[in-house]
Amino acid sequence: MTGTFLGMPPFPEAAHDAVNNAQLRHNLRKATHTIRGKRAAVVDELDDWPQLRAAGKAIKDHTLRHLDRYLIQVEEAVTAAGGHVHWAADADEANRIVTDLVRATGERDVVKVKSMATQEIGLNEALADAGIRAYETDLAELIVQLGDDRPSHILVPAIHRNRSEIREIFLREMAEWGEPAPADLTDEPRVLAEAARRHLRERFLSAKVAVSGANFMVAETGTLVVVESEGNGRMCLTLPETLISVVGIEKVVPTWADLEVFLQLLPRSSTGERMNPYTSTWTGVTPGDGPQDFHLVLLDNGRTHVLADEVGRQTLRCIRCSACLNVCPVYERAGGHAYGSVYPGPIGAILTPQLRGTASALDASLPYASSLCGACYDVCPVAIDIPEVLVHLREQVTEQPGHRAERAAMKAAGWVFADPSRLSRVQRLAGHTRRLIPKRLPGPGAAWTDTRNIPEPPAQSFRDWWAQERGSDGSPRRDDA
Amino acid sequence: MTSRATVLGRIRAALADAPADTAAPLDRTYRRRHTDADNTLPLLVENLRDYRAIVHEVTPDQLPSAIADALRRRGCTRVVVPAGTPETWTADVSGIELLGDTPPLTVDQLAAADGTITGSAVAIAETGTIVLDAGPAQGRRALTLVPDYHLCVVHAADVHASVPDALGHLDPTRPLTWISGPSATSDIELNRVEGVHGPRTLEVLVVRD
Ligand code: SF4
C-alpha cells in the first residue's frame, strides 16, 4: 500500500536527502525543464492568455464567494440527473461513505482514476482496512503503488523513478496484484507501458466499481469533468456499474460556458499541450451508457478553514495544474517527497499547512520551503499569489505558541538566509514582482533584517533577470549545472 | 446536525466577512477564437497530426472508399459500427465483419474487435480535438474505448475554431468524450508513448462537404 506522509521530518531535513541525491536531482531537473518549456510554447500561442487568466481567477473568486449556493445547485442538478450526493465534513467521513458504498455493491475490488482528493484523505488505506483493494490505474500511480512509494509530483507522480527502477518494480510486484510482468521485460518506456496495459486490461474489463475525483463540476448542469491522457480514466468512468467520485468543494464552477476558460487554462499549464488526449464529461447517469449508479461525495476536509482566511482563501482557486512545481527552484532541488504531503511544490507549501494547520513541525516548516522568487505566481493560470500567502502563513507560524514550530521554521529559513547572495536575489525578486517589499522581513527573517536595510527593488524586471540568469532558452547559467 | 448542514454552515461562517461580490457580469475580455474562419480546417488537420493522429481529407464521394481502404490497410476483420451510421459509409467494405451494438456488445466482444468506425459531434481546430456525444453514428462511450483502433469521420460543417465556439454546440446532459490524438502517457522519464489503455491508433477522415 502507498506509504503515508505521517511522521515526516520537517521540510529542511527531508529536503536534505533529495539535495544530495544526484540521480533524483537530475530526473527532476530534466522533467521540470521539459514541461515548462512546452508550457511556455503553448501559452505563447494564445495572445489573450492574461485575459483568460484574469477570467479564471474571477470565476473562481466569484464561485468561492457564493460557494454555498453553487454547491446546493450542483446537488440539485446531479440528483435530478439520477445521481446521489453525499457531504463529507472530513477525511474519515469521506472514507466511511465510500467504504459503505463499495460494501453495498458486494465487491472487494475497486479501480481508481488518479485523484489528489482521494490521496489527501488516504482512501486506499481506509479501503484496505475494510478488506477492499483499490487498484490505481494511472501508469505513474501504478508505479507508485506497486513500489509502495509516495507520489512526488502532481502531474507525473513517479518522476523520481527512472526506467530501470520501474522495470524492477514491475518484475517484482505485478504478479502479486494481477497479471504478472513478462519475464523478458526490458526498460524501454514502450515495453513498460505495454506491460502496464496488459496488467490492467483484465481488471478494467471486469471491474464493477470505480472511484474517481474530478477536475471540475458544473453547478448549472451537474456535469463532472475528468481530464486525462492514458484512457484509464475513460475505462474507469465508463465500464463499471458503480462510479463514486470524491470531489473537493472548491472544484465547482457556475456554468457550462465557464469550462471554456478552464479547458484552455488547464491543459496548457499542466502538460504543456493544447488539449490533453482525453476529457470526459458526464451528468448523472445515462441509461445504456456507462455506470448506472453514480455517487458524488462533496469533500470539505479543511477547505472551509482555508476559505475563512482572508488572505489564504485564494489558494482554493487552484486547479492542480502543477505549473508552479515546474518553475520552483526549491522544488527542483528538494523533490516532491520533502513536502510531506500529496501536494508538493509551491502549492503544497501553502495548501497543506492551511488544510492541516501548522501544529506539527513539518507543517510549520512548509511556509519556509520557498525563496519567494515569484516564478510560481507568474505561471499560475488562476493567478494565486503564492508568495503573498507564504508570507502570511509565516506570520501565523511565528505567532503560534511553542518553540517546536518556531525552531523548525528558523531552520527552514536557513536555506534561504544561509547564503546572503541568495537572500538578496530573493529580496529583489520579491520586492519587484510582488510589491511586497517590507521594511522588515516578517517571521524569522525579522531578526536578520533588524540589523540590515533591505535594498530597494531594482529597475530590472523578473523576466529580464530570468533571461539574464538562465538564458532565453531557460537553461541555467550557473550554480546548478 | 447533518454533514451537509455542517459544511454549509462552515462556508457561511467563513464568508461572513467576505466583501460583496463585485464581479456581477464577469469581464470576459478573452478572445472567442484565435484563428480565421477559413483557416479552421487546415489548422484542425495540422493539430491532429501534431498529436500523432493519421488524417486524410476526402470529398463526400470519396468517403466510402476511404473507409474501406483504411480498414483494409489496418488489416481489420471485425469492426464495430454504432447505430445510426449511414449505410453508404460501409458500402465499399467487403470481407470484414461489421458488428452492430443492438443488442449491446459485451466488453469481451468489444475487446475482440479490431476497431470502431464512428462519426463525431464537433471538432475544435485550435486544439486538434474531436468530441463525441453518443449521438447517431457514435454510440455509447465504450465503443471507442476498448478496441485498439478508432476510425473517425469529421464533417467540415462541425469543425469550430475554438473551445468557446465548440462548447456552445455541445449538450452537457449527454456524456461527452473529447479526444485529442490517441491515448498517450509520458510517465516514464517523460518519454511519450502512445496507447496505454485507450485506442493506440486514431485515424481521422475529414470530409469537405
Ligand atoms: S497553484 Fe496555480 S500553478 Fe500551482 S497547481 Fe495550483 S493552479 Fe497550478
Side-chain angles (χ1 to χ4, degrees):
Chain A
M1 277 290 120
T2 307
T4 67
F5 289 101
L6 289 177
M8 284 281 292
F11 181 83
E13 287 164 39
H16 190 260
D17 291 345
V19 169
N20 289 320
N21 181 336
Q23 169 80 57
L24 177 65
R25 286 188 54 178
H26 172 82
N27 288 3
L28 280 174
R29 232 192 93 73
K30 183 184 162 211
T32 54
H33 285 248
T34 305
I35 304 173
R36 83 186 184 205
K38 285 174 68 186
R39 175 203 162 271
V42 294
V43 164
D44 274 356
E45 285 181 5
L46 303 186
D47 54 8
D48 59 340
W49 188 258
Q51 289 86 345
L52 276 169
R53 186 178 186 240
K57 171 182 187 286
I59 292 168
K60 282 281 187 175
D61 280 344
H62 164 80
T63 315
L64 291 169
R65 178 65 189 82
H66 304 285
L67 191 57
D68 50 342
R69 195 173 89 201
Y70 286 119
L71 289 173
I72 291 169
Q73 203 185 353
V74 161
E75 178 183 46
E76 285 169 358
V78 169
T79 308
H84 305 275
V85 177
H86 312 260
W87 299 69
D90 57 27
D92 285 346
E93 188 174 19
N95 288 333
R96 210 161 43 235
I97 292 168
V98 177
T99 306
D100 288 347
L101 287 169
V102 178
R103 279 213 177 110
T105 66
E107 294 295 315
R108 311 294 294 241
D109 293 336
V110 302
V111 286
K112 282 189 71 208
V113 190
K114 175 174 180 292
S115 135
M116 304 301 296
T118 60
Q119 283 175 24
E120 174 192 319
I121 62 175
L123 178 64
N124 292 6
E125 291 78 7
L127 288 173
D129 288 345
I132 297 163
R133 221 173 200 200
Y135 293 87
E136 293 293 344
T137 64
D138 171 82
L139 177 53
E141 290 294 349
L142 178 72
I143 295 166
V144 168
Q145 186 176 46
L146 293 177
D148 195 17
D149 195 358
R150 298 183 308 259
S152 64
H153 190 284
I154 292 175
L155 172 70
V156 277
I159 201 62
H160 57 289
R161 296 289 200 183
N162 60 37
R163 58 180 77 190
S164 64
E165 290 176 302
I166 295 168
R167 174 177 173 270
E168 276 164 38
I169 292 168
F170 279 12
L171 281 171
R172 198 175 62 228
E173 302 291 336
M174 270 185 169
E176 211 250 306
W177 291 78
E179 173 84 21
D184 61 350
L185 188 72
T186 71
D187 65 3
E188 261 304 293
R190 185 167 297 280
V191 173
L192 293 169
E194 178 67 24
R197 180 185 177 100
R198 279 210 242 131
H199 177 73
L200 287 170
R201 187 78 175 176
E202 186 50 39
R203 192 155 309 289
F204 281 135
L205 301 189
S206 60
K208 298 278 187 289
V209 184
V211 175
S212 84
N215 294 92
F216 307 101
M217 52 186 178
V218 181
E220 172 187 54
T221 58
T223 307
L224 270 78
V225 182
V226 163
V227 166
E228 50 128 3
S229 294
E230 296 172 8
N232 65 306
R234 293 179 62 194
M235 289 277 184
C236 295
L237 300 170
T238 309
L239 298 183
E241 291 162 7
T242 301
L243 171 61
I244 305 164
S245 300
V246 181
V247 184
I249 52 175
E250 82 284 12
K251 291 287 174 96
V252 66
V253 298
T255 68
W256 177 247
D258 290 330
L259 291 177
E260 73 192 20
V261 174
F262 297 104
L263 288 180
Q264 292 188 79
L265 291 176
L266 179 57
R268 287 178 201 259
S269 299
S270 179
T271 50
E273 293 170 301
R274 296 181 194 101
M275 189 65 82
N276 47 287
Y278 296 131
T279 299
S280 298
T281 80
W282 72 98
T283 305
V285 295
T286 304
D289 188 350
Q292 297 299 295
D293 195 16
F294 169 58
H295 297 268
L296 170 62
V297 181
L298 294 170
L299 177 72
D300 178 350
N301 200 35
R303 285 158 176 76
T304 46
H305 177 72
V306 185
L307 188 66
D309 186 307
E310 217 179 299
V311 177
R313 64 170 59 120
Q314 59 184 307
T315 307
L316 296 177
R317 294 203 297 258
C318 176
I319 57 174
R320 313 278 190 262
C321 70
S322 75
C324 56
L325 277 61
N326 299 328
V327 296
C328 179
V330 178
Y331 175 86
E332 186 183 318
R333 286 162 182 78
H337 290 155
Y339 295 80
S341 153
V342 299
Y343 303 107
I347 179 60
I350 59 170
L351 182 59
T352 305
Q354 291 192 84
L355 287 177
R356 296 202 295 222
T358 49
S360 78
L362 167 66
D363 292 330
S365 73
L366 285 174
Y368 296 90
S370 165
S371 65
L372 297 183
C373 76
C376 49
Y377 170 72
D378 278 359
V379 296
C380 178
V382 285
I384 298 171
D385 195 334
I386 295 175
E388 182 189 26
V389 181
L390 284 166
V391 170
H392 173 68
L393 292 172
R394 288 179 188 188
E395 279 175 67
Q396 287 184 356
V397 166
T398 48
E399 275 164 18
Q400 74 193 18
H403 302 292
R404 216 163 89 93
E406 207 165 336
R407 264 208 317 272
M410 284 302 289
K411 230 171 143 185
W415 190 87
V416 171
F417 296 113
D419 173 353
S421 75
R422 207 181 269 152
L423 177 65
S424 70
R425 220 184 311 163
V426 162
Q427 287 163 337
R428 266 188 291 149
L429 298 173
H432 193 65
T433 61
R434 314 283 352 103
R435 276 180 298 152
L436 257 179
I437 199 75
K439 290 268 174 329
R440 281 168 103 239
L441 284 178
W448 200 89
T449 51
D450 276 352
T451 56
R452 292 163 179 84
N453 292 323
I454 292 183
E456 287 297 310
Q460 193 183 27
S461 74
F462 173 76
R463 270 174 206 293
D464 293 345
W465 173 85
W466 188 256
Q468 180 195 312
E469 287 285 296
R470 296 269 167 155
S472 52
D473 61 353
S475 64
R477 287 276 164 90
R478 54 187 237 203
D479 85 8
D480 51 358
Chain B
M1 191 147 85
T2 63
S3 293
R4 183 181 190 275
T6 304
V7 175
L8 288 172
R10 285 179 188 165
I11 292 171
R12 286 169 190 146
L15 293 169
D17 71 336
D21 188 5
T22 48
L26 177 74
D27 200 9
R28 294 187 193 267
T29 50
Y30 53 86
R31 293 168 58 160
R32 302 303 302 170
R33 55 195 68 88
H34 304 84
T35 185
D36 297 335
D38 54 359
N39 190 41
T40 52
L41 219 49
L43 188 60
L44 176 71
V45 172
E46 183 187 326
N47 284 336
L48 281 169
R49 287 196 178 127
D50 195 34
Y51 282 159
R52 324 246 172 117
I54 303 163
V55 188
H56 315 272
E57 295 182 68
V58 298
T59 64
D61 291 347
Q62 293 166 337
L63 183 60
S65 63
I67 288 175
D69 288 348
L71 296 179
R72 202 173 313 118
R73 264 197 312 272
R74 174 91 193 161
C76 292
T77 58
R78 251 176 315 183
V79 286
V80 180
V81 181
T85 301
E87 278 179 20
T88 52
W89 285 15
T90 49
D92 288 4
V93 175
S94 61
I96 296 174
E97 189 184 350
L98 302 177
L99 305 168
D101 192 38
T102 350
L105 296 162
T106 65
V107 256
D108 290 336
Q109 285 173 308
L110 284 176
D114 297 314
T116 305
I117 312 170
T118 75
S120 53
V122 307
I124 306 169
E126 283 179 16
T127 57
T129 304
I130 296 167
V131 188
L132 308 187
D133 72 353
Q138 297 165 57
R140 60 198 169 98
R141 286 169 283 174
L143 303 190
T144 53
L145 172 62
V146 181
D148 201 24
Y149 169 66
H150 180 193
L151 178 61
C152 186
V153 177
V154 173
H155 287 284
D158 298 325
V159 179
H160 301 281
S162 63
V163 173
D165 279 358
L167 271 168
H169 291 86
L170 291 167
D171 177 355
T173 65
R174 291 170 163 279
L176 305 179
T177 304
W178 301 47
I179 296 169
S180 308
S183 158
T185 184
S186 299
D187 282 342
I188 302 167
E189 296 182 9
L190 286 188
N191 288 284
R192 188 179 165 103
V193 175
E194 264 103 45
V196 193
H197 307 298
R200 272 181 279 212
T201 308
L202 172 68
E203 188 156 1
V204 184
L205 299 171
V206 179
V207 187
R208 294 181 169 276
D209 42 7

